[in-house]
Amino acid sequence: ERAGKYFGEEYIDNFIKYLVFSNGGLRERDLSHLLEANSWSALKFARCRRFFKFLIVENPHSEQWYVAHNILVEQARNKFHHEKKGIHQVLADYFISLDVEDKVRNSELTTHLMEADNKSAFLSEEAHVDFLLFQHKFLEDPSYWARWTREVLLLLVTRKEGKAPFDYVHDLGAFLRRYYLYQQGVVIYSGLDDYYAELLKTDENEVPYDYYRLMQQFGYCYQGLGKYSEAADVLLRSMEWHNRMMRHHIDHSLHSRAIGYLDIAGLYFQAKDFDKALEASWVALRNLEEFFTCGVDHHVQNEPFKCRLLRANIYYEKQHYEACHQELLFANIAFHQKLSYERDLGDLYRL
């Protein structure tokens, strides 16, 4: 308030609010643009920062000025809370106009686009979203940002007719798993599942590969929550669409299909749904047999052993001991054909 008497209330309000809502502070040239309408001058800025003394300091590496007093930052953010979204939009509009090589631009823009709820600009090529900044912001309030991310992904795949960038999907899934944000993942991917369900009703012949990859991430989130049956159902549905998409290239997808159904069988086994586990493991076996008839070097594959051992465990749990013994014999043959690794032998002998 005292500074406002010397330099003008509007000038000080804008000066402080842009600093406290920035990520790491603002450079003098940034402030000169943002405060241009408030009679900016280098001399006025120098006098102003001297007035605040040690409360406003400069980062010598990036030349960014920032408020160094936490209580002042908190009070200023509370005072301008009702303007928060608009402030972030002003900062976002400014930073997106700078050169993409500008380091301060790239360390600020992602946060301001998120806080301004500007999903359209967030997805634009000009934004060059920093995924590390996105993660940092997401962790501040996972529930809120999970809903926000779901809307962003929906907007993204709607724009691109069901397609989503591989890096974005992969990085997002890896981030959610790294921080055990499985519940937030379910929130994000459930909305996408509904979108693709409607999309596939209108054109069943055009199945985007992105649906398969996104539903894989959905299944991993259910698996992380210990909901194995739901995880298996999601992955099974995605595999059915994957099969339809690859129907003209069956030979090229046999191995990936086998691995997919083997994973599904393992999830149903953990959910103690042994009938569905047997069914999925049988589909995996059929695909493996076709895969090996294509002349592939099967000596580097251990899926036949794993599949037979899984089926033996299923039959054991169902108390079908004769069938269990039969599967163990097949597993033993697969092992001695060098279709597995020495570390797997203990599981075979144990059963």
Side-chain angles (χ1 to χ4, degrees), residues 138-231:
F138 194 105
L139 291 171
E140 290 180 4
D141 188 353
S143 296
Y144 173 80
W145 292 114
R147 295 191 297 273
W148 191 87
T149 304
R150 177 180 62 188
E151 293 174 16
V152 167
L153 273 177
L154 276 170
L155 180 60
L156 179 64
V157 296
T158 303
R159 279 186 182 178
K160 296 182 175 292
E161 299 179 341
K163 297 177 182 177
F166 175 78
D167 289 343
Y168 191 87
V169 174
H170 180 269
D171 291 347
L172 177 61
F175 161 66
L176 293 171
R177 291 195 299 276
R178 185 183 310 123
Y179 291 98
Y180 306 104
L181 298 170
Y182 301 120
Q183 190 61 57
Q184 287 74 23
V186 169
V187 170
I188 293 169
Y189 295 118
S190 59
L192 292 166
D193 191 20
D194 294 339
Y195 164 78
Y196 278 109
E198 290 299 316
L199 179 68
L200 297 172
K201 281 180 185 176
T202 59
D203 190 358
E204 293 186 351
N205 295 317
E206 200 61 38
V207 184
Y209 184 63
D210 303 72
Y211 172 72
Y212 171 64
R213 293 191 287 106
L214 286 164
M215 290 306 99
Q216 273 188 317
Q217 302 294 342
F218 192 12
Y220 294 151
C221 290
Y222 270 134
Q223 186 178 358
L225 291 171
K227 298 182 177 181
Y228 301 116
S229 183
E230 290 89 341

Side-chain angles (χ1 to χ4, degrees), residues 1 43 85 101-102 104-105 151 198 207 225 277 281 292:
E1 290 174 356
L43 178 60
K85 190 173 179 179
E101 300 298 325
D102 190 310
V104 173
R105 170 200 192 274
E151 293 174 16
E198 290 299 316
V207 184
L225 291 171
S281 64
F292 292 134

